[in-house]
Amino acid sequence: MPDPVFDASKPHVSRVYDYLLGGKDNFAADRAVGDRMIASLPAAQVGVRAQRDVLGRVVRYLVGEAGVRQLLDIGSGLPTAENVHEIAQRIEPATRVVYVDNDPVVLSHAQALLADNTTTFVADGDLRHPAGILDHPVVRGRLDWDQPVGLLMCGILHYILDEEKPGELTAALYRALPSGSYVFIHHLLDTEDPATATLQEQMRVGLGRAQFRTMARIRELFDGLELVDPGLVLVPDWRPVLGTPGVRDHPVMQMACAGVARKA
């Protein structure tokens, strides 16, 4: 749920992400966190851009190849361009998209943006409370729960701490998904690179939470769902678009992975 009283002095994940993407829907507190992240890892914005790009590739795969016609995007944030619904509806205009976030700025921005869109909706919700998401009238009423759903969790699970039991949270969502649904996870990696530890610490100090995980532990978050090709891989390796310039060899590309799995 959104904060009962909005406080611009407190940074929020969505707005920091917006700042790193070059957006304008952020405040001084968000920019301060973003600047500290950039100071500790100058290539942070390269990684954020790669995160955004892989989300686009996943949406194109789900709608264009897998035939999914409804998407549930948890922790949607404030993208500056190429929103999930824009990509999906460019392929199939009837695709329904529900954005879920817990930041009042995200919610108000999305509601204004989507005022005239009859197939894209926004709901307030928090991944730490999956029942609240699943029971939300918009989520329950705007998606057809007898048909496959594409569940998108892009760059959100590394803000769920171990003590908050991310496996149980995601399993609650998976159980609700109809057969034939897909799950996408993008997650920052716990590596031996000191820069990774520094970035995680900066995020913990600035945002109060961050939990990078190993590839093996991230794979466990799929809870036995069948990963589609190429599996859980580094972000630039997930179905790269041939002929598109990339930064595959940049060290920051070793710091995040992505995968999509199907529920039988």
Side-chain angles (χ1 to χ4, degrees):
M1 299 294 291
D3 297 329
V5 178
F6 173 63
D7 186 352
S9 69
K10 294 181 179 179
H12 191 279
V13 171
S14 297
R15 298 192 300 270
V16 174
Y17 178 59
D18 175 70
Y19 174 61
L20 293 173
L21 275 173
K24 298 179 180 179
D25 293 292
N26 49 72
F27 299 97
D30 309 303
R31 294 189 287 274
V33 173
D35 287 340
R36 287 196 294 272
M37 291 171 63
I38 294 169
S40 65
L41 183 69
Q45 289 167 296
V46 176
V48 169
R49 185 70 257 173
Q51 173 184 335
R52 192 70 195 160
D53 289 344
V54 75
L55 173 61
R57 298 199 300 275
V58 168
V59 172
R60 284 186 284 272
Y61 165 75
L62 293 178
V63 178
E65 296 186 44
V68 175
R69 293 294 177 261
Q70 42 188 6
L71 302 171
L72 178 60
D73 185 0
I74 298 180
S76 54
L78 280 161
T80 57
E82 284 295 273
N83 298 278
V84 165
H85 73 279
E86 291 174 322
I87 298 170
Q89 292 165 6
R90 192 178 303 136
I91 299 169
E92 174 47 66
T95 303
R96 288 180 169 249
V97 177
V98 174
Y99 293 118
V100 176
D101 209 291
N102 67 346
D103 176 25
V105 173
V106 169
L107 297 172
S108 61
H109 178 89
Q111 287 164 350
L113 178 71
L114 303 171
D116 298 323
N117 191 311
T118 60
T119 54
T120 308
F121 313 93
V122 59
D124 54 278
D126 192 318
L127 181 55
R128 293 169 295 179
H129 306 289
I133 294 174
L134 294 169
D135 292 338
H136 194 288
V138 171
V139 176
R140 183 54 50 188
R142 297 298 187 176
L143 299 177
D144 181 351
W145 290 88
D146 291 323
Q147 297 297 322
V149 173
L151 173 62
L152 310 177
M153 293 183 289
C154 185
I156 187 66
L157 277 165
H158 48 247
Y159 293 107
I160 303 296
L161 305 178
D162 283 345
E163 55 264 35
E164 293 170 320
K165 301 181 179 179
E168 293 183 13
L169 300 178
T170 53
L173 294 170
Y174 301 165
R175 285 194 297 271
L177 294 175
S179 177
S181 292
Y182 289 81
V183 172
F184 165 53
I185 293 175
H186 165 284
H187 201 298
L188 293 176
L189 283 164
D190 180 6
T191 70
E192 296 180 358
D193 187 343
T196 301
T198 300
L199 177 61
Q200 180 175 240
E201 182 59 24
Q202 288 290 347
M203 292 167 66
R204 285 178 174 171
V205 170
L207 296 166
R209 53 177 55 245
Q211 188 82 62
F212 297 5
R213 297 180 172 92
T214 64
M215 192 85 79
R217 293 189 62 204
I218 296 165
R219 188 174 290 108
E220 291 175 357
L221 294 175
F222 285 99
D223 196 33
L225 299 181
E226 181 182 357
L227 284 159
V228 302
D229 187 63
L232 183 64
V233 296
L234 295 176
V235 163
D237 294 334
W238 201 90
R239 296 180 177 251
V241 178
L242 296 178
T244 301
V247 286
R248 172 66 181 81
D249 297 328
H250 196 294
V252 77
M253 291 302 139
Q254 306 295 315
M255 297 177 66
C257 64
V260 174
R262 184 179 184 275
K263 180 177 179 178

